[in-house]
Amino acid sequence: MSDLPNAANTGHRAHLNPADLARMLRYATDWLGVYREQVNALNVYPVPDGDTGTNMHLTMQSVRRELDTCDESSMPGVARAISYGALLGARGNSGVILSQLLKGFAEAIKDLKVVDAAALGRAFQAAQKTGYGAVMKPVEGTILTVARGVAEGAAQPGEHIEDVLENALFRGQELLDQTPEMLPALKQAGVIDSGGQGYLYIVQGMLAQLRGEALPPAPEITSYAQEQFENEEFGFCTEFLMSEATKPIEEIRELVTPFGDSLLVVGAEGYVKGHIHTNEPDQLLATVGRYGKMLKTKVEDMSEQHTEILGMAGATARAEEELAPTGLVAVASGYGLVKLFRGFGARIVSGGQTANPSVQDIVDAVRSVSAEKVIILPNNKNVLMAAEKAMELMEGRAVVIPTRTLGQGIGAALNFSPDVPAEELVEGMTEASRAVTTFEVTRASRTTNITVKDGRTLDIKEGDVIGLMDDELVQSGGSPEDSVLEMLNRHYQGQEIITVFGGPQHTQEDLDALAGRIGKEFSMAEVETHPGGPDLYDYLVTVE
């Protein structure tokens, strides 16, 4: 069903009911999606990593998912969907701040039956207040400045919802146009603030839905502001989502403050969301992980992100003769694994277990690679179908190697060479992927009993350690380290290399201790360890 109103209902509105508001925000998500790459192309502050539009859009998509399942006849239900969805889906500095703007907006409307013009104005003012309150050291010239402009405009007298949104956009645009004078980085690049522009597109989308306007075509991107900047060592953009926190948000914020800058720690309903730029992501996540249940982490090397966005900026401009024979796209999560795949020459699509990327995400990655043909490694059985659909859409420019685990993906990537035609690589990479055994240690999400392939019946309680071999359950119980050793003892077949990736809750000391235990029992194998394993897993172990 379309989120556009019928032509007969596009006149001035005096108030919005909960379903009206839900439709407006769904449409605003699509509106922002049209301009996502344009916002990315503006992104130079706080670092020129080129993902502000993507992060804000992902945050809004999470809001839309919650709106799709909430009770649209209830303003408290819609308000909770806005606030809760934004927090769970917040990505990046801009996404976390956006989540707080939406939280303030939702808090202001949650007890109302309908939202009239005055109430909508107050909601935008509450959004601005909550946004500023979430940032330890607010910087003008950013999304916060534009949110202030939107709030000032929305506070002007107006009888209709349309008046409020028009005034909000006018004043917000005035302050957005002034942002280059507030931030030297923006002035250097000759751009307005990307996060502020993204926020205005959301408000613009709300107004467009009210008026019944169709989505515009996506603008053509001809330049990226990131090209103005040198490729520097920016450090790691580190994020976490934690539940069941045993410390107040203020104490968690104090814990992570010494690790870096660009710090945001926010929360609601028992969840804590954190964002920080640091050079010690593994130590930071291990420190925070002691005080709750770590649900999701994301660590991006901002220097690598900068390099990738410059690659995307130049991809369309490269002459045909400059194309490499073959490119590589890999789906991965966990910063250690992402770094490894990037080292093999892969363009990364973020995702994996419980966070499957879309077909469009994979298509966009393939298109960004400057190569005659691109090999796609899905690295998860649940991503395989999306990868194959992306291959179809690329009409012969891509081929999928059906890797079902990250271990298989590593085996395939080890045999990748950009100078060799894809047709000559596929068979060898496929065989190499099948030669890798992958062990994963995670926790059971429910109580059950399962009979495994060798006839044993495992009685499993929710929260128990469980072990999987090549994505099939084979072990339960004990500590995560015991799980690794038990699986190796049952299934090790004399391979030469055992590689252990530690999850976000484990320190390098944990990895070293586990490597020592493995080395004693399997002295014939070389044992390697790396931090930055996938989210929700204690350990990922590959044997080859």
Side-chain angles (χ1 to χ4, degrees):
M1 183 180 294
S2 171
D3 282 321
L4 290 176
N6 295 327
N9 299 325
T10 56
H12 290 298
R13 296 286 299 274
H15 64 264
L16 301 169
N17 63 36
D20 294 329
L21 194 58
R23 280 191 293 270
M24 289 171 73
L25 285 169
R26 285 196 195 94
Y27 201 66
T29 302
D30 293 336
W31 194 272
L32 176 62
V34 169
Y35 295 100
R36 180 184 65 182
E37 284 306 317
Q38 184 188 65
V39 175
N40 282 342
L42 296 171
N43 177 204
V44 296
Y45 184 86
V47 291
D49 48 5
D51 62 359
T52 290
T54 297
N55 288 337
M56 294 183 75
H57 189 229
L58 287 169
T59 304
M60 289 300 296
Q61 285 179 319
S62 181
V63 172
R64 181 166 58 188
R65 283 193 293 271
E66 292 299 320
L67 288 171
D68 287 345
T69 58
C70 78
D71 178 3
E72 287 192 9
S73 66
S74 159
M75 192 68 79
V78 168
R80 181 186 181 276
I82 295 169
S83 179
Y84 181 72
L87 178 67
L88 292 191
R91 288 276 297 268
N93 195 68
S94 54
V96 175
I97 294 176
L98 175 61
S99 77
Q100 297 307 288
L101 295 172
L102 292 170
K103 177 184 177 181
F105 185 97
E107 285 289 321
I109 64 165
K110 68 179 183 180
D111 295 325
L112 304 177
K113 292 187 181 300
V114 294
V115 176
D116 61 16
L120 184 61
R122 290 193 296 272
F124 279 118
Q125 293 166 59
Q128 174 231 333
K129 183 177 180 181
T130 304
Y132 270 90
V135 180
M136 292 182 67
K137 298 177 182 178
V139 175
E140 294 300 336
T142 66
I143 186 175
L144 294 173
T145 301
V146 177
R148 175 162 55 83
V150 166
E152 290 172 359
Q156 295 175 18
E159 293 183 31
H160 303 107
I161 298 297
E162 192 171 358
D163 298 330
V164 174
L165 294 173
E166 286 177 345
N167 292 336
L169 283 168
F170 182 81
R171 180 58 179 153
Q173 186 68 52
E174 283 188 330
L175 288 193
L176 178 62
D177 291 340
Q178 296 172 26
T179 56
E181 301 304 318
M182 302 179 193
L183 273 178
L186 301 180
K187 192 165 188 176
Q188 177 186 344
V191 296
I192 53 179
D193 179 66
S194 57
Q197 178 66 86
Y199 188 55
L200 283 193
Y201 280 139
I202 292 169
V203 180
Q204 196 178 87
M206 294 172 70
L207 180 58
Q209 194 280 334
L210 195 68
R211 290 173 168 170
E213 296 177 10
L215 291 175
E220 182 181 355
I221 310 303
T222 57
S223 63
Y224 285 75
Q226 294 83 11
E227 293 175 279
Q228 304 283 333
F229 295 83
E230 296 294 327
N231 181 9
E232 299 176 4
E233 187 65 40
F234 296 115
F236 298 91
C237 176
T238 304
E239 299 178 18
F240 61 86
L241 177 66
M242 187 167 66
S243 67
E244 302 172 24
T246 59
K247 283 182 175 290
I249 288 175
E250 294 75 17
E251 291 188 31
I252 294 173
R253 187 180 293 127
E254 289 177 11
L255 276 173
V256 300
T257 296
F259 283 94
D261 59 13
S262 196
L263 172 68
L264 289 163
V265 178
V266 299
E269 299 191 28
Y271 291 91
V272 178
K273 181 81 179 186
H275 170 282
I276 189 169
H277 293 171
T278 180
N279 287 319
E280 302 175 288
D282 51 335
Q283 195 64 38
L284 182 148
L285 293 172
T287 298
V288 174
R290 292 196 288 265
Y291 302 103
K293 181 181 180 182
M294 196 68 80
L295 299 179
K296 190 182 297 183
T297 66
K298 182 175 80 74
V299 179
E300 284 285 356
D301 183 328
M302 289 183 285
S303 180
E304 291 283 358
Q305 281 186 301
H306 184 242
T307 300
E308 284 194 3
I309 197 69
L310 294 185
M312 293 173 68
T316 57
R318 294 188 183 98
E320 189 71 23
E321 60 267 23
E322 294 182 29
L323 295 180
T326 311
L328 186 64
V329 164
V331 179
S333 69
Y335 73 92
L337 288 156
V338 165
K339 182 178 181 180
L340 184 67
F341 279 107
R342 280 191 171 130
F344 294 138
R347 179 80 79 229
I348 301 300
V349 177
S350 180
Q353 195 68 21
T354 75
N356 299 335
S358 68
V359 172
Q360 190 62 53
D361 291 334
I362 300 172
V363 167
D364 288 345
V366 170
R367 286 176 174 161
S368 75
V369 175
S370 182
E372 294 175 7
K373 200 160 189 175
V374 177
I375 294 172
I376 305 170
L377 303 177
N379 298 337
N380 187 289
K381 65 180 181 181
N382 296 326
V383 180
L384 183 56
M385 187 177 295
E388 290 174 341
K389 184 62 178 177
M391 177 181 69
E392 292 174 17
L393 294 174
M394 293 311 298
E395 298 180 339
R397 192 172 164 242
V399 60
V400 173
I401 294 177
T403 51
R404 295 174 177 270
T405 67
L406 284 159
Q408 289 184 352
I410 292 170
L414 277 165
N415 288 268
F416 170 72
S417 174
D419 300 323
V420 178
E423 292 77 8
E424 298 178 23
L425 289 171
V426 169
E427 183 177 351
M429 290 177 69
T430 302
E431 288 181 4
S433 73
R434 293 170 179 165
V436 179
T437 301
T438 306
F439 300 105
E440 297 162 313
V441 179
T442 184
R443 309 297 172 112
S445 59
R446 65 183 188 276
T447 298
T448 186
N449 58 75
I450 295 177
T451 301
V452 295
K453 277 187 174 180
D454 63 9
R456 290 175 298 131
T457 298
L458 304 180
D459 293 316
I460 302 169
K461 295 180 180 178
E462 181 180 347
D464 279 357
V465 169
I466 55 174
L468 299 93
M469 184 181 79
D470 291 335
D471 215 28
E472 296 223 359
L473 184 67
V474 295
Q475 185 275 338
S476 68
S479 70
E481 295 76 17
D482 293 338
S483 175
V484 171
L485 269 296
E486 183 178 333
M487 287 192 290
L488 286 173
N489 275 308
R490 285 182 179 274
H491 303 285
Y492 176 75
Q493 295 179 339
Q495 294 95 330
E496 295 179 357
I497 302 174
I498 299 173
T499 305
V500 182
F501 292 88
Q505 64 272 56
H506 291 293
T507 64
Q508 186 60 50
E509 289 75 16
D510 295 333
L511 284 169
D512 291 342
L514 177 56
R517 290 182 62 183
I518 294 172
K520 284 182 179 179
E521 296 199 32
F522 305 94
S523 58
M524 67 294 291
E526 178 184 344
V527 183
E528 299 179 359
T529 64
H530 302 276
D535 297 336
L536 304 181
Y537 287 80
D538 286 271
Y539 296 105
L540 182 142
V541 181
T542 64
V543 180
E544 54 190 297

